[in-house]
Amino acid sequence: MNYPETFRYTKEHEWVSVDGDTGTIGITDHAQNELGDIVYVDLPKVGAVIETGKSLGSVESVKAVSDIYAPVSGEVLEINTHLAEAPEKLNEDPHGDAWLVKIRLSNPGAVSGLLSAEEYQAFIGG
Amino acid sequence: MSDPSVDLLKTPLNAAHRALKARMVDFGGWDMPVQYSGIIDEHNTVRTAAGLFDVSHMGEIEIKGPEALSLVNYVSTNNAAKLAIGQVHYAGLLYDHGGFVDDILVHKVADDSYFLCVNASNQDKDFEHIAAQNRWDCTVENAGPRYAQIAVQGPKALATLQKLTKTELSPIKYYWFTDGEVSGDWARIARTGYTGEDGFEIYVDPSLAEKRWNELMAAGEEFGIKPAGLGARNTLRMESGMALYGHEIDASISPLEAGLQWIVKFDKGDFLGRARLEEQKAAGLTRKLIGFEMCGRGIGRDGYEVRVAGAPAGWVTSGGPSPTLNKNIGMCYLPLDKAVPGTSIEVMVRNAPVEAVTIPIPFYKRAK
């Protein structure tokens, strides 16, 4: 799987992509692969405020439940409602159609503190 | 977190799992495959075709000698005197206080020889527990290292295994075994399993395990056999309502509470835990195991609190999605009056109550 150069990544295996002051958040291909068959995704409500490093929701695979941690802070503008009906999309397209939430970044500059694609791939490889 | 400095125990099939690119996990100190192609795919393959499981981590304990029956019957709850040679039964190994040391399969090999299959992480504890009770003329051996165990499970299990053995499999009844051969080498072939499907658990020499595994994979290819890991083993046994040590049963739970009164034979004479179980039976149970199905969105997982009408009432022992039923199911302990099918309960999913309803166990039964 390609790890887009324009994304930023966390050591907790989330990614964020920034467009102006909007951030799109998802989990990485590595994360979905480690989780296995994803059967349920629990996302915050539109309007909720999420904080860096705090749980914004959870992803459940057949085997286990895992928290999703916010890579950056902001207010939830939109959630990916398709995942309620088709959580398995997260296994198929974690860096694309199966994004989780879009937020209004409270501090767009904070993104630069996260891992680059190269750094993240080195992290999961090691 | 697992400590990488601790060497995990490996079964003779470890290299085979790695060659199949299985995801490996630390399972009670054993380096075991949790999945290969994916839990749901493996689960469905076992329900519709055949799956191959490495269960070599399971322990084997042999009890031999002229008074072997006396020891077996004293340490276990079921009545081994009723077993015919070649027959298997499920039993509880209890402490004096009525809780489980382990749950076991007892195979009667001969009048003076019993073969116990026990849980991997309990095998040393079980062996010490049994050996400590041995005041009869028997030998007790922790025989785990002498056996590898492979389970072939599913509607095509018989057709797969039959290609490799001259031992006639069809006449072997459920919960019976025979000492025969697979590919010309000695094998104990038991028609038992932990999936709710027809199938066999074969015990072979560890040095031959990888060869047997590869032969079974090849023999089952035409039926669509796949290797299956601990993940599918868990979802399959959960649908079938089978207990898992450390979840439905443990040292704090009695077989009566776990719905396993059928493995407790009070008419067989004394056995460890008997007095406590009789007291419990006379006084009446206070809690019982029951199944549930989630109604609201969310999955009840092991250890989650269960509430009835807003008040804490019990806990989930096992829970997760059921690939066969396409529902989120689980098992939980509840006070006796609540442990009846049709009771509305709430499972506390990450501190939020989610509606569920109790339903009978098992959730799934294969058509015979």
Side-chain angles (χ1 to χ4, degrees):
Chain A
M1 172 76 63
N2 172 39
Y3 285 84
E5 293 293 332
T6 55
F7 287 13
R8 290 285 173 158
Y9 302 85
T10 69
K11 289 187 175 178
E12 287 73 41
H13 312 291
E14 293 89 14
W15 57 262
V16 56
S17 151
V18 175
D19 178 14
D21 66 350
T22 301
T24 302
I25 294 170
I27 63 167
T28 66
D29 180 59
H30 175 79
Q32 71 75 22
N33 191 42
E34 287 295 302
L35 285 163
D37 298 318
I38 292 169
V39 292
Y40 181 66
V41 184
D42 190 20
L43 295 175
K45 290 189 166 50
V46 171
V49 173
I50 62 172
E51 286 179 62
T52 307
K54 298 260 175 75
S55 174
L56 69 84
S58 58
V59 175
E60 300 209 31
S61 66
V62 177
K63 193 90 185 95
V65 50
S66 301
D67 277 310
I68 309 159
Y69 297 100
V72 282
S73 301
E75 182 193 341
V76 177
L77 298 172
E78 190 182 349
I79 62 167
N80 190 346
T81 52
H82 299 301
L83 295 178
E85 302 309 318
E88 67 278 4
K89 276 271 172 213
L90 260 175
N91 290 118
E92 296 157 13
D93 195 10
H95 298 164
D97 280 350
W99 56 274
L100 301 174
V101 295
K102 291 186 191 292
I103 65 170
R104 181 179 296 115
L105 297 164
S106 54
N107 175 13
V111 173
S112 61
L114 299 173
L115 302 176
S116 68
E118 191 181 351
E119 286 164 340
Y120 178 71
Q121 287 177 91
F123 172 69
I124 58 176
Chain B
M1 295 294 283
S2 60
D3 180 351
S5 67
V6 176
D7 282 336
L8 293 175
L9 296 163
K10 290 182 169 67
T11 77
L13 292 165
N14 195 272
H17 303 315
R18 292 184 179 280
L20 287 162
K21 304 238 185 297
R23 178 164 314 139
M24 306 296 286
V25 294
D26 175 353
F27 181 75
W30 290 79
D31 187 40
M32 295 298 291
V34 64
Q35 68 170 65
Y36 307 80
S37 57
I39 296 174
I40 294 174
D41 182 53
E42 293 162 31
H43 180 111
N44 291 335
T45 301
V46 172
R47 288 271 180 261
T48 58
L52 204 55
F53 297 83
D54 175 15
V55 274
S56 301
H57 60 312
M58 300 287 283
E60 289 84 14
I61 294 172
E62 294 183 334
I63 301 177
K64 292 177 183 174
E67 296 180 309
L69 173 62
S70 298
L71 177 58
V72 170
N73 253 0
Y74 184 67
V75 296
S76 66
T77 58
N78 212 329
N79 186 4
K82 301 273 189 191
L83 286 175
I85 292 170
Q87 197 172 8
V88 187
H89 71 199
Y90 180 61
L93 206 60
L94 302 190
Y95 291 105
D96 206 28
H97 69 258
F100 279 92
V101 181
D102 201 1
D103 58 341
I104 61 174
L105 288 183
V106 179
H107 304 62
K108 182 172 179 175
V109 180
D111 285 332
D112 60 354
S113 176
Y114 293 84
F115 175 88
L116 277 43
C117 178
V118 307
N119 280 302
S121 52
N122 289 341
Q123 54 191 300
D124 293 339
K125 176 182 78 174
D126 293 355
F127 169 72
E128 282 160 24
H129 175 81
I130 295 169
Q133 304 299 334
N134 184 11
R135 54 182 185 271
W136 290 277
D137 185 9
C138 351
T139 58
V140 182
E141 188 197 350
N142 199 350
R146 289 202 283 108
Y147 297 95
Q149 190 188 346
I150 299 171
V152 54
Q153 300 278 299
K156 295 294 183 189
L158 188 148
T160 298
L161 183 58
Q162 191 65 76
K163 287 167 74 174
L164 301 175
T165 179
K166 292 186 177 69
T167 305
E168 277 293 330
L169 300 178
S170 289
I172 305 173
K173 287 180 280 188
Y174 190 51
Y175 270 69
W176 288 71
F177 72 97
T178 189
D179 285 350
E181 54 75 35
V182 175
S183 298
D185 297 306
W186 180 91
R188 175 159 290 155
I189 304 169
R191 200 161 192 170
T192 51
Y194 196 48
T195 62
E197 295 304 324
D198 185 20
F200 296 86
E201 294 179 309
I202 63 167
Y203 299 84
V204 300
D205 188 295
S207 67
L208 300 170
E210 190 166 351
K211 196 161 169 276
R212 292 294 98 89
W213 174 273
N214 292 332
E215 289 163 355
L216 283 160
M217 284 293 289
E221 194 180 354
E222 63 172 305
F223 307 118
I225 200 169
K226 286 181 183 175
L230 294 172
R233 187 168 165 82
N234 190 50
T235 52
L236 289 157
R237 73 92 199 165
M238 192 171 68
E239 283 182 352
S240 307
M242 295 178 181
L244 173 61
Y245 192 87
H247 293 254
E248 284 70 38
I249 57 173
D250 63 29
S252 72
I253 300 281
S254 88
L256 305 181
E257 295 169 316
L260 297 170
Q261 57 288 335
W262 60 276
I263 62 167
V264 178
K265 301 294 158 62
F266 286 114
D267 59 357
K268 71 163 181 167
D270 197 24
F271 62 91
L272 262 182
R274 179 192 178 110
R276 178 68 195 108
L277 295 186
E278 280 181 332
E279 277 172 33
Q280 205 175 44
K281 201 177 166 192
L285 295 174
T286 56
R287 61 184 179 189
K288 219 180 127 206
L289 190 71
I290 182 90
F292 67 83
E293 173 185 330
M294 300 300 291
C295 306
R297 287 177 54 77
I299 301 171
R301 300 279 183 181
D302 316 8
Y304 285 8
E305 185 179 277
V306 178
R307 295 185 177 178
V308 177
W315 73 96
V316 176
T317 57
S318 295
S322 158
T324 308
L325 306 173
N326 205 18
K327 290 175 183 170
N328 294 321
I329 59 166
M331 292 184 262
C332 64
Y333 276 101
L334 282 177
L336 201 67
D337 61 324
K338 308 287 191 297
V340 285
T343 306
S344 289
I345 61 172
E346 299 115 47
V347 178
M348 297 301 291
V349 178
R350 291 179 295 284
N351 301 319
V354 178
E355 275 182 53
V357 63
T358 55
I359 56 173
I361 301 168
F363 307 96
Y364 165 85
K365 249 185 166 165
R366 82 185 141 101
K368 296 202 172 146

